């Protein structure tokens, strides 16, 4: 295995899922605070007011990570902790900056390299109230740029790895098409008071791409020459395999699935040829998909210095043969998903999460698909699983065999992909410790550390997977 891969092994987290302190020391509310405080929106009626209390116990987190043998740490900044009202003319909250500054110093003092995400879904509520945030591209961009500028200015002396957006596609579809995530908009009036699934996702996706382009341009011109960091975006994507490989329609459907999910963002950023969304999306969505202006084309193409990959599972997909016009609410390329293929082969062992099964067979295929299409270095920025029945603390639970097997198999596929010649520079597990899993509340546990959420200090207990990964990566490094 290449030393590049083994040189960055760690876990990823996100501010709204771990920090707590939702209104402490001047932090403003985010759209996720609002959603969590709206009855009926979160599965277990919980909120993230306290979460893992990482705001209070970040030193414990760093000490844990050190004991887990990591070399880096990927976390996100809460925009409304840094600029409570979010806007370009709004005051900066020095206490918020100080928190992140302290965390970064603590990491560096322990030999851990910070990877920092600017936006992991917690939009300042004030920007939603003022102008519907990303639905208003011209108002949003200056506000995002000012936020990015403050982060680069105040933290960029020590942060050398920046990620602008985490999974723009998931943020967009869960928030504006499905409507179960913040800001909770969709055409489904039983669930959401406002929204239009047929148009808003495409606008919000475009705003993220373009604002990412502007932020990278600013970083390159004003900060990179002196700070010498790197900057990119992290995209979500799972492998899609045809349900019936011998059926050309299913093969085309699997390709469409990958293009709607991944190439939606990746083609404009990394693609060859003209800067545009994939042809199958233009064909299905027509004028509902925004056009890139000449300036936007220049800004977006080449705007990510690596491919940040979040991936969890693989699916079998089949062409939607129902026939008739494709409904305007469809945002996935007119397909259906299956847990088994035509021959009854399962996509993988179940986890505690409906959509997530252990399907490492698709991981290497996905790495190859990305590499062959875009030829940029890949950072795996999230990968991990829940485990059935992980709930109450017991000895058996801490021996998380299912998670260990997941990591063993996925990292095994990763090692093969490196041997295939694919340039892979990191492996980040999701996640350091159990946390607030968005609309699932505390019911889905993804951590290599168990958190007892019933204790005021959110007591942390290492699961066996943490030691397994530490030893596994030590072994891989020794071999490389
Ligand atoms: C990541 O998103 C997030 O970055 C992270 O914050 C989160 O905690 C972690 O994963 C675990 O969920 O249509 O029912 O098949 C992963 C996003 C979630 C995208 C599930 C695809 C499919 C749901 N994925 N989703 S379904």
């Amino acid at each position: 295995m290449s030393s590049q891969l083994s040189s960055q092994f760690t876990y990823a987290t996100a501010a709204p899922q771990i920090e707590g302190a939702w209104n402490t020391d001047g932090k403003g509310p985010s759209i996720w605070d609002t959603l969590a405080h709206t009855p009926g929106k979160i599965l277990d009626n919980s909120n993230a007011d306290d979460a893992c209390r990482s705001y209070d116990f970040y030193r414990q987190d760093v000490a844990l990570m050190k004991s887990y043998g990591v070399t880096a740490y990927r976390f996100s900044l809460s925009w409304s902790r840094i600029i409570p009202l979010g806007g370009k003319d709004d005051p900066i909250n020095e206490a918020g900056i100080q928190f992140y500054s302290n965390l970064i110093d603590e990491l560096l003092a322990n030999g851990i390299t910070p990877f920092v995400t600017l936006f992991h879904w917690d939009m300042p509520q004030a920007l939603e109230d003022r102008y519907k945030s990303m639905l208003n591209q011209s108002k949003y961009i200056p506000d995002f740029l000012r936020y990015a500028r403050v982060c680069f200015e105040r933290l960029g002396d020590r942060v050398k790895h920046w990620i602008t957006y985490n999974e723009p596609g998931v943020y967009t579809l869960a928030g504006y098409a499905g409507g179960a995530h913040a800001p909770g908009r969709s055409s489904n009036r039983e669930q959401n008071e406002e929204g239009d699934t047929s148009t808003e996702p495409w606008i919000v996706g475009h705003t993220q791409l373009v604002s990412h382009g502007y932020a990278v341009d600013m970083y390159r011109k004003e900060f990179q020459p002196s700070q010498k960091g790197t900057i990119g975006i992290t995209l979500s994507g799972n492998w899609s395999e045809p349900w019936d490989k011998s059926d050309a329609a299913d093969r085309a459907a699997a390709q469409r699935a990958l293009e709607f999910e991944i190439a939606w963002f990746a083609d404009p950023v990394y693609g060859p040829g003209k800067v545009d969304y994939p042809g199958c999306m233009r064909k299905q969505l027509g004028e509902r998909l925004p056009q890139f202006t000449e300036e936007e084309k220049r800004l977006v193409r080449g705007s990510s210095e690596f491919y940040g990959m979040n991936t969890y599972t693989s699916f079998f997909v089949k062409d939607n043969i129902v026939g008739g016009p494709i409904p305007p609410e469809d945002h996935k390329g007119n397909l259906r998903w299956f847990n088994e293929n035509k021959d009854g082969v399962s996509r993988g062992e179940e986890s505690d999460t409906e959509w997530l099964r252990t399907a490492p067979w698709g991981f290497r295929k996905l790495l190859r698909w990305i590499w062959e299409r875009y030829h940029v270095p890949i950072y795996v920025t999230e990968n991990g699983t829940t485990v059935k029945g992980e709930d109450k603390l017991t000895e058996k639970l801490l021996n998380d065999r299912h998670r260990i097997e997941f990591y063993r198999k996925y990292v095994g596929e990763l090692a093969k992909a490196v041997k295939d010649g694919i340039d892979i520079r990191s492996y980040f597990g999701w996640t350091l410790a159990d946390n607030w899993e968005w609309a699932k509340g505390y019911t889905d546990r993804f951590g290599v550390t168990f958190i007892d959420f019933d204790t005021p200090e959110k007591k942390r207990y290492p699961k066996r997977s943490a030691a397994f990964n530490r030893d596994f990566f030590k072994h891989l490094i020794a071999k490389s």
Side-chain angles (χ1 to χ4, degrees), residues 89-137:
D89 301 318
D90 294 320
I92 293 174
N93 178 32
E94 286 301 328
I97 302 260
Q98 193 59 51
F99 166 66
Y100 293 114
S101 186
N102 292 346
L103 168 60
I104 290 162
D105 286 345
E106 184 75 5
L107 289 165
L108 292 173
N110 284 278
I112 298 173
T113 302
F115 279 65
V116 177
T117 309
L118 293 177
F119 184 85
H120 200 128
W121 306 355
D122 48 346
M123 179 71 71
Q125 180 62 41
L127 302 187
E128 192 60 26
D129 296 342
R130 275 180 198 161
Y131 56 80
K132 297 199 167 72
S133 64
M134 290 178 185
L135 285 170
N136 190 331
Q137 184 182 315

Side-chain angles (χ1 to χ4, degrees), residues 271-304:
K274 65 179 178 19
V275 181
D276 199 5
Y277 295 110
C280 68
M281 293 183 74
R282 277 262 167 249
K283 189 163 165 233
Q284 181 179 322
L285 305 167
E287 287 308 305
R288 284 185 281 131
L289 208 51
Q291 300 287 346
F292 290 91
T293 66
E294 289 309 313
E295 181 179 337
E296 289 172 357
K297 287 181 188 172
R298 273 195 309 277
L299 283 165
V300 168
R301 175 56 48 82
S303 59
S304 187

Side-chain angles (χ1 to χ4, degrees), residues 17 120-121 166-167 170 236 238 310 312 315 332 355 382 430 437-438 446:
Q17 296 181 271
H120 200 128
W121 306 355
N166 177 72
E167 300 187 346
V170 175
S236 161
N238 295 310
N310 289 359
Y312 288 84
F315 293 95
K332 301 217 161 160
W355 55 269
E382 284 180 28
W430 183 271
E437 176 59 19
W438 310 110
F446 275 88

Side-chain angles (χ1 to χ4, degrees), residues 239 241-243 313-318 336-351 353-359 361 388:
W239 178 250
E241 183 82 3
W243 179 77
T313 194
S314 309
F315 293 95
F316 295 115
V317 306
K318 185 157 185 48
R336 289 175 293 158
W337 287 264
F338 293 89
N339 287 327
E340 282 96 37
N341 71 5
K342 189 181 179 216
D343 302 322
V345 177
S346 162
R347 67 188 176 98
E349 202 184 326
E350 291 172 29
S351 67
T353 305
E354 178 61 31
W355 55 269
L356 205 176
R357 292 188 178 206
T358 304
W361 56 271
K388 270 195 175 178

